[in-house]
Amino acid sequence: MNRPTIVVVDDEPIIRMDIREILEHEYRVVAEGKNGEEAVALAHKHKPDLMIMDVKMPVLNGIKATTIIRKFSDCSVLLLTAYSHKELVQEARQAGVTAYLVKPVTEEDLIPAVEIALNQRDQLTSLKRDIENMKRKIEERKVIERAKGKLMDQFSLSEPEAYRWIRQESMNRRISMIQLAEELLFRKEIDVRAD
């Protein structure tokens, strides 16, 4: 079973070690970093399922790092902070943070937050995949419609007749309707025999 991959980024080594110990039973901690700049580099390198980051870090804080990571990664981001100011929460949300925990972090708080963050990532990935499939199907449908129109024009077929011909020919040749439609659109002459 593939365990989700996690990168932990905090400027305090003891906190990183504590978080790693809590997580290692169920997850794979693939890397650790000590600032936001390292977080960005580690997200590029490891492509984790989840980044757990402190908000207040040197070089680049967790919110700014999240904003950059969001431009190239769909990983979830769980922010850790000693502060829960409303403005900070708002900034985190705008940056694309998935979940937010106030320190000190306990196992009872961390594990459910990690599970929710990973579930959010899974849902987002599934939604993006569904959208891509729908876009592809719409584009394929457009090509089939154009091929159908070409058959209707050249052979005075009705729309149902043209569709039936495409469907039957794709079954006869054991190719998809989209492959056949693309062939029909690029072929100068089409041989439509009565079935």
Side-chain angles (χ1 to χ4, degrees):
M1 184 173 110
N2 276 349
R3 293 188 301 165
T5 57
I6 298 176
V7 170
V8 178
V9 184
D10 195 300
D11 56 331
E12 295 182 43
I14 291 171
I15 291 177
R16 289 197 310 266
M17 186 180 71
D18 288 346
I19 291 171
R20 179 183 274 274
E21 281 181 16
I22 292 170
L23 296 173
E24 283 191 322
H25 301 290
E26 295 188 43
Y27 312 100
R28 283 190 312 131
V29 178
V30 293
E32 292 181 24
K34 61 184 177 298
N35 60 53
E37 195 172 76
E38 286 183 11
V40 173
L42 292 170
H44 260 296
K45 180 179 179 183
H46 295 283
K47 298 173 180 38
D49 298 310
L50 173 66
M51 302 276 304
I52 298 177
M53 271 192 286
D54 189 16
V55 172
K56 302 279 187 195
M57 293 186 292
V59 186
L60 193 65
N61 73 37
I63 293 174
K64 288 180 181 167
T66 299
T67 302
I68 295 167
I69 290 167
R70 278 284 155 259
K71 293 177 182 170
F72 64 85
S73 174
D74 288 334
C75 73
S76 287
V77 177
L78 170 57
L79 275 190
L80 306 176
T81 183
Y83 315 97
S84 60
H85 302 302
K86 192 175 182 178
E87 301 81 32
L88 197 60
V89 173
Q90 182 65 27
E91 271 185 73
R93 190 168 60 203
Q94 288 172 344
V97 168
T98 312
Y100 193 94
L101 270 181
V102 178
K103 292 178 181 178
V105 175
T106 64
E107 184 171 354
E108 292 76 29
D109 293 332
L110 183 61
I111 297 299
V114 166
E115 284 298 313
I116 288 169
L118 289 169
N119 185 48
Q120 291 290 329
R121 179 186 182 275
D122 290 345
Q123 288 180 358
L124 179 65
T125 302
S126 177
L127 187 60
K128 284 185 174 184
R129 194 171 36 245
D130 290 347
I131 290 168
E132 286 306 312
N133 285 338
M134 284 173 49
K135 284 180 183 175
R136 183 183 47 76
K137 285 180 181 177
I138 289 169
E139 289 308 310
E140 287 178 0
R141 188 77 209 154
K142 287 178 185 176
V143 172
I144 291 168
E145 288 296 316
R146 288 199 338 258
K148 193 168 64 173
K150 184 175 180 179
L151 288 174
M152 290 164 60
D153 288 346
Q154 288 187 2
F155 300 101
S156 300
L157 297 174
S158 68
E159 187 174 349
E161 288 170 333
Y163 182 78
R164 269 195 305 274
W165 185 88
I166 291 172
R167 191 180 63 212
Q168 188 61 50
E169 186 70 10
S170 75
M171 286 191 293
N172 292 346
R173 294 178 49 195
R174 291 187 168 92
I175 62 172
S176 67
M177 288 177 67
I178 184 65
Q179 285 176 287
L180 180 62
E182 287 170 342
E183 276 184 32
L184 292 173
L185 289 173
F186 295 108
R187 203 186 297 164
K188 293 228 188 280
E189 289 187 22
I190 305 169
D191 181 20
V192 179
R193 294 174 296 278
D195 295 331

